[in-house]
Amino acid sequence: MKLLGIAAVDHGGSLGRASALFPHAPMPFVDLSTGINPHSYPLFDLPATILSRLPEAERLRELAGIAANAYGAPSAMHVAAAPGTQILLPRVASLVRPGKALVLGPTYAEHARAAAIAGHTAAEVGDFDALAEADLAVLVNPNNPDGRIVEREKLLRLAGELRARGGLLVVDEAFMDVGPAEHSLAGDVCAGGIVVLRSFGKFFGLAGMRLGFALADPLTAERLQAQLGPWAVAGPALEYGVRALADTEWQAGMRRRLAADAERLDALFGRYGVAVAGGTTLFRYLVLPEAAHLFSALGERGILLRHFAERPQVLRAGLPGTDEEWQRLESALAGWASRRDDALKEIGR
Amino acid sequence: MKLLGIAAVDHGGSLGRASALFPHAPMPFVDLSTGINPHSYPLFDLPATILSRLPEAERLRELAGIAANAYGAPSAMHVAAAPGTQILLPRVASLVRPGKALVLGPTYAEHARAAAIAGHTAAEVGDFDALAEADLAVLVNPNNPDGRIVEREKLLRLAGELRARGGLLVVDEAFMDVGPAEHSLAGDVCAGGIVVLRSFGKFFGLAGMRLGFALADPLTAERLQAQLGPWAVAGPALEYGVRALADTEWQAGMRRRLAADAERLDALFGRYGVAVAGGTTLFRYLVLPEAAHLFSALGERGILLRHFAERPQVLRAGLPGTDEEWQRLESALAGWASRRDDALKEIGR
């Protein structure tokens, strides 16, 4: 168990840092360092008043209803809408009085940081059962980066135990849009003691928009929304949220497309001897002894994966978007593999 | 002194509510219920990646530097950027441990609400000197809605007193873009114990964008930014902020234009016997016995002013934007005045 503080943490998705790391890489970078869908929801025009006027409270309520429907929450009253889930994390962690926060790790590092900001003693644990001792228990389901899934039944049991002594279970379902939906707790927030986080930007490929949701019992949802105040969600994010979350046809098609892309990516890695150990259809999880070398070799060729400073044998790879990106990944992998094979021959000689 | 809770408060700028209030008004409404500049900063195209990718940390730092320069803060390290100042209010109020929050009123009601959310006992006081007894003292400078200005010297003295016993002075300079700049505390945040709030959306006419800043000593600014987490500002807001806050030519021209518009508005009201009692060049403050009647009469003609439930003799009027809006306001005022004059004759008869 590792105690965690509030220092800023490292993330994927920064081209600024990538350029500093790989100054000679061919531009533009193929950024596979995030789990953001490269096939964004189609952009559409917005009237200028969406930018010039304050967002309407009524439109926010409409968005809450559509989000409840899309995510399977009981009603709009169970939804708080925010400019991204990130900004919600310390607020959600503050729903229980400062105590012991346990985060099921390894996972998205901001959870422990947010818990520490909220005054908790925050630690990561590797064992699900250890979460029962927490005042605030946090897990990501499916997990980032390994795709680990905790079953709904187990989660509900844990939530019941925590609730009985005033604790809170936070389930970050940032990647639950690509399933498995039967393990979502979105429909189970009524009883209290559970907050589910849903991210708009990842599945819809609009991370720059900043839109996210907390699903909770109505009192908690109202409390979170009050903390954010009126106009928490920007006009453009409101409009995209209302349209995209109601577009079940696009969503179903995109789930199929991402599943096919993920399969294609696994096959591509497999061809070069890199086995995929898990993930979701928005990102794949690679475990290999030469991970650090693969990260650098691809980086120098302008392909960014996500590496993790403290786990040098692990990588995460998002999906390429265009044919060109697939080709650049393939040729970078081929280049890396041939150098590796040469090196192995060298050793064998 | 009135104790204030955390219930939602009423605001201007909602067309939904306006339609419910004035169902037979000619559409569209001329919305003068806010202090938002009707002449928005010119819209420009953004690459799709601004929406699809996570905002870059480097760009946020650049924005902080440009904002420091535009507002007169000592450096980028003294700036925390947020998706609107609104979302900062409870965070800023939480910088001091729960105690006595005093807000110089009457003013923007969200300050007291945010202080209550942060656990303070929040009250409005009418007298500046009373603020010295607070743990958290809040005022809006220039004030909304009456335009009252508190001089920098007085503010610095108050800040010194509060600081000496661990208190905090929050100055909301939401309308300071239109001056008087010599009374801004933006350059005085180094010493600590002062947080200055600056709003992007009002002066630049882009309220739907959600962008605002806290200026503070570097430790406090960093703490606020950490609370908001990475990617606090959406991609489009980042890009508009970077461009518009650096565009000093547009800003200077706009200040002149708003001053001329405000003068024109005062003259128009004066022509119909409505004296303007204060305000800034982004909104005018009207005090008249028949305020409630004027509000309704204009509302029925599709012109929305801001009224205040608890002060029936007061109205706030934003600036019309287009020639058509000016004309509709003028003819609505003329209609109201002729009915009023008829009624007066009736009484005189």
Side-chain angles (χ1 to χ4, degrees):
Chain A
M1 199 161 100
K2 199 172 46 144
L3 284 182
L4 297 155
I6 64 169
V9 300
D10 186 33
H11 292 287
S14 167
L15 293 183
R17 214 151 14 137
S19 300
L21 209 53
F22 304 112
H24 307 299
M27 294 284 135
F29 279 108
V30 176
D31 186 6
L32 311 182
S33 71
T34 76
I36 299 164
N37 183 355
H39 312 297
S40 299
Y41 190 79
L43 299 186
F44 55 91
D45 283 339
L46 292 169
T49 49
I50 293 298
L51 295 178
S52 61
R53 293 184 54 82
L54 283 167
E56 290 278 335
E58 214 171 276
R59 195 69 167 157
L60 189 69
R61 278 190 296 272
E62 198 180 334
L63 175 64
I66 289 169
N69 206 39
Y71 294 135
S75 83
M77 293 196 318
H78 296 76
V79 177
T85 47
Q86 182 63 45
I87 216 165
L88 280 168
L89 301 186
R91 304 285 67 73
V92 169
S94 298
L95 290 171
V96 281
R97 128 189 13 219
K100 188 180 186 178
L102 297 177
V103 180
L104 186 58
T107 193
Y108 184 59
E110 291 287 342
H111 285 295
R113 196 177 72 94
I117 284 176
H120 297 284
T121 309
E124 260 193 17
V125 294
D127 175 23
F128 176 81
D129 293 329
L131 294 178
E133 287 162 35
D135 299 298
L136 171 72
V138 185
L139 60 85
V140 182
N141 204 34
N143 192 42
N144 168 12
D146 59 5
R148 176 199 56 216
I149 287 152
V150 180
E151 290 164 17
R152 178 165 165 272
E153 289 308 316
K154 282 178 75 173
L155 293 172
L156 289 177
R157 211 153 42 230
L158 172 62
E161 288 170 35
L162 296 176
R163 181 169 49 236
R165 36 185 200 71
L168 176 69
L169 172 63
V170 176
V171 184
D172 179 355
E173 296 187 353
F175 295 98
M176 189 54 96
D177 305 71
V178 292
E182 66 271 26
H183 294 301
S184 168
L185 292 200
D188 302 299
V189 294
C190 265
I194 300 173
V195 172
V196 171
L197 298 170
R198 300 293 300 235
S199 165
F200 179 79
K202 295 176 183 72
F203 177 61
F204 291 97
L206 294 169
M209 198 73 101
R210 310 315 295 140
L211 179 61
F213 302 91
L215 315 178
D217 63 276
L219 265 176
T220 302
E222 192 184 358
R223 194 168 150 195
L224 289 170
Q225 198 72 70
Q227 288 251 3
L228 301 173
W231 322 300
V233 175
L238 261 182
E239 296 307 310
Y240 271 83
V242 162
R243 186 178 299 194
L245 285 169
D247 191 347
T248 51
E249 197 181 327
W250 184 92
Q251 293 166 33
M254 186 49 66
R255 279 190 196 98
R256 287 192 297 272
R257 180 175 187 176
L258 292 170
D261 282 0
E263 211 172 300
R264 179 179 171 187
L265 188 58
D266 289 5
L268 178 57
F269 279 124
R271 219 172 302 148
Y272 295 99
V274 178
V276 174
T280 71
T281 60
L282 280 165
F283 58 82
R284 309 306 291 157
Y285 181 62
L286 316 176
V287 183
L288 67 169
E290 59 270 52
H293 184 246
L294 177 59
F295 174 77
S296 303
L298 293 190
E300 281 157 14
R301 291 168 171 87
I303 314 287
L304 293 174
L305 304 191
R306 174 81 162 95
H307 70 136
F308 301 87
E310 294 173 6
R311 286 175 297 148
Q313 306 208 329
V314 163
L315 292 173
R316 190 186 65 194
L319 302 175
T322 62
D323 284 346
E324 195 203 330
E325 290 189 344
W326 282 99
Q327 280 156 20
R328 284 186 59 191
L329 173 61
E330 169 135 33
S331 79
L333 274 171
W336 168 74
S338 85
R339 282 217 307 205
R340 178 198 55 186
D341 295 345
D342 289 350
L344 288 176
K345 272 185 223 145
E346 196 81 21
I347 293 165
R349 218 184 266 163
Chain B
M1 196 163 101
K2 200 172 47 142
L3 284 182
L4 297 155
I6 65 169
V9 300
D10 186 34
H11 292 286
S14 168
L15 293 184
R17 214 151 13 141
S19 300
L21 209 53
F22 304 112
H24 307 299
M27 293 285 133
F29 279 108
V30 177
D31 185 7
L32 311 182
S33 70
T34 76
I36 299 163
N37 184 354
H39 312 297
S40 300
Y41 190 79
L43 299 186
F44 55 89
D45 283 338
L46 293 169
T49 50
I50 293 299
L51 295 178
S52 62
R53 293 186 53 83
L54 283 167
E56 290 279 333
E58 213 170 278
R59 195 70 168 157
L60 189 68
R61 278 191 296 273
E62 198 179 336
L63 174 65
I66 290 169
N69 205 39
Y71 295 135
S75 83
M77 292 197 318
H78 297 76
V79 176
T85 47
Q86 181 64 45
I87 215 163
L88 280 168
L89 301 186
R91 305 283 68 72
V92 169
S94 298
L95 290 170
V96 281
R97 142 190 355 228
K100 188 181 187 177
L102 297 178
V103 181
L104 186 59
T107 191
Y108 183 59
E110 291 287 342
H111 285 296
R113 197 178 71 94
I117 284 177
H120 297 284
T121 308
E124 261 193 18
V125 293
D127 175 24
F128 176 81
D129 293 329
L131 294 178
E133 287 162 33
D135 299 297
L136 171 72
V138 185
L139 58 85
V140 182
N141 204 33
N143 192 43
N144 169 13
D146 59 5
R148 175 199 58 214
I149 287 152
V150 180
E151 288 164 19
R152 179 165 164 271
E153 288 309 315
K154 282 178 76 172
L155 293 172
L156 289 177
R157 208 152 47 230
L158 171 62
E161 288 170 35
L162 296 177
R163 183 169 47 236
R165 34 183 201 74
L168 176 69
L169 172 63
V170 176
V171 185
D172 179 356
E173 297 187 353
F175 295 98
M176 189 54 95
D177 305 71
V178 291
E182 67 272 24
H183 293 302
S184 169
L185 291 200
D188 303 300
V189 294
C190 265
I194 300 173
V195 172
V196 171
L197 298 170
R198 300 292 300 234
S199 166
F200 178 80
K202 294 176 182 72
F203 177 61
F204 291 97
L206 294 169
M209 198 72 101
R210 310 314 295 140
L211 178 62
F213 302 90
L215 315 178
D217 62 277
L219 264 177
T220 302
E222 192 184 358
R223 194 169 151 194
L224 288 171
Q225 199 73 69
Q227 288 251 3
L228 301 174
W231 322 301
V233 176
L238 261 181
E239 295 308 308
Y240 272 83
V242 162
R243 186 178 301 193
L245 285 169
D247 190 347
T248 50
E249 197 180 327
W250 184 91
Q251 292 166 34
M254 185 50 63
R255 279 190 195 97
R256 287 191 297 273
R257 179 175 186 177
L258 292 170
D261 281 1
E263 210 172 301
R264 179 179 171 187
L265 188 58
D266 289 5
L268 178 57
F269 279 124
R271 220 172 301 148
Y272 296 99
V274 178
V276 174
T280 72
T281 61
L282 279 165
F283 58 82
R284 309 306 291 157
Y285 181 63
L286 316 176
V287 183
L288 67 169
E290 60 271 51
H293 183 246
L294 176 60
F295 174 76
S296 303
L298 293 189
E300 281 157 14
R301 290 168 171 85
I303 315 287
L304 293 175
L305 304 191
R306 174 83 161 94
H307 70 135
F308 300 87
E310 294 172 6
R311 285 175 298 148
Q313 306 207 330
V314 163
L315 291 173
R316 190 185 67 195
L319 303 175
T322 62
D323 284 346
E324 195 203 330
E325 291 189 343
W326 282 99
Q327 279 154 21
R328 283 187 59 191
L329 173 61
E330 168 133 37
S331 79
L333 275 172
W336 168 75
S338 85
R339 281 217 309 206
R340 178 197 54 188
D341 295 346
D342 288 351
L344 289 176
K345 271 184 223 145
E346 196 79 21
I347 293 164
R349 218 182 265 164

